[in-house]
Amino acid sequence: MTTLSFFKYQGTGNDFVLLDDRAQLFDIDNHQLVRFLCDRRRGIGADGLILLRPHQQLDFEMVYFNADGYVGSLCGNGSRCAVAFAHDLGLINRETHFQAADGPHEAHIDEDGLVHLRMQDVLGQQEVEEYGIFLDTGSPHLVRFQPASTLAELNVFAEGRVIRYNERFREKGTNVNFVEAPAVPGQPWQVRTYERGVEDETLSCGTGVTAVALAASKRGATSPVHLRTPGGDLHVAYEARPDGSFTNVYLSGPAQRVFSGTIEL
Ligand SMILES: N[C@H](CCC[C@H](N)C(=O)O)C(=O)O
């Protein structure tokens, strides 16, 4: 019988198992183990799992797995939790540079505990016929703007799966974000997300709200954009370039440790 020490964090309801794997002992090909650890009935339960590992030049590297057990692309909320974890471990102070799936990132934790994560520049967006707007913010996202007062009742699981598995997106998959514009300017943009690799609606998606904020810049949103998800509020700041790309993109929001423990394997 072996045991594994873990920490549980959540960022606006997107929850993760975090492992201090600086010894690099975790078998990243053990998809079944990751699925077990993320299993909400038989394991710890989470939307994803994150390894914190050493990096030659940067403060640390984060390796992100979706709950399906496979290494994923950039996880925005998971990155913010990894920064909070590194801070809690005493690895960093308030500023950090770390490696994630899409390359290096800088981030800082402010006095209120909010984590501000700089995203990679986003090259631009592309209309995808009747589906919506597609952007890659470190993970692939389709953004669909919904009519007013329809988001709350939408069956995100069913509607998200239809798009995620259709022939246009099936091969690599995509995350699907359903958005409702504020009824009154200054109120938040409301977002619900179906997440690839979790294959369900999550309470929030960091790279997803980033994609929504950038897509909404063509519909009257201005930086910083206030976004409200079922898991809580996030803010996205950016600078739009004349060529349609975006730079200085920052995702800001809380990241909290919930509990730590050991699990029997
Ligand atoms: N499930 C996503 C990765 C995690 C995205 C989300 N958790 C975030 O906060 O960005 C994907 O496979 O594209």
Side-chain angles (χ1 to χ4, degrees), residues 14 16 64 66 72-78 139-141 175 195-198 204-208:
N14 205 190
F16 308 96
Y64 173 76
N66 279 307
S73 41
L74 177 69
C75 180
N77 289 330
S139 284
H141 287 275
N175 301 281
E195 245 189 80
R196 174 187 71 167
V198 183
S204 77
C205 178
T207 50

Side-chain angles (χ1 to χ4, degrees), residues 2 22 39 56 86 89 153 158 187 192-193 199 212 215 225 263:
T2 60
R22 284 178 280 180
D39 188 307
Q56 291 285 348
L89 290 175
E153 302 308 315
Q187 288 183 344
R192 293 176 65 189
T193 303
E199 303 309 339
V212 168
V225 183
I263 184 167

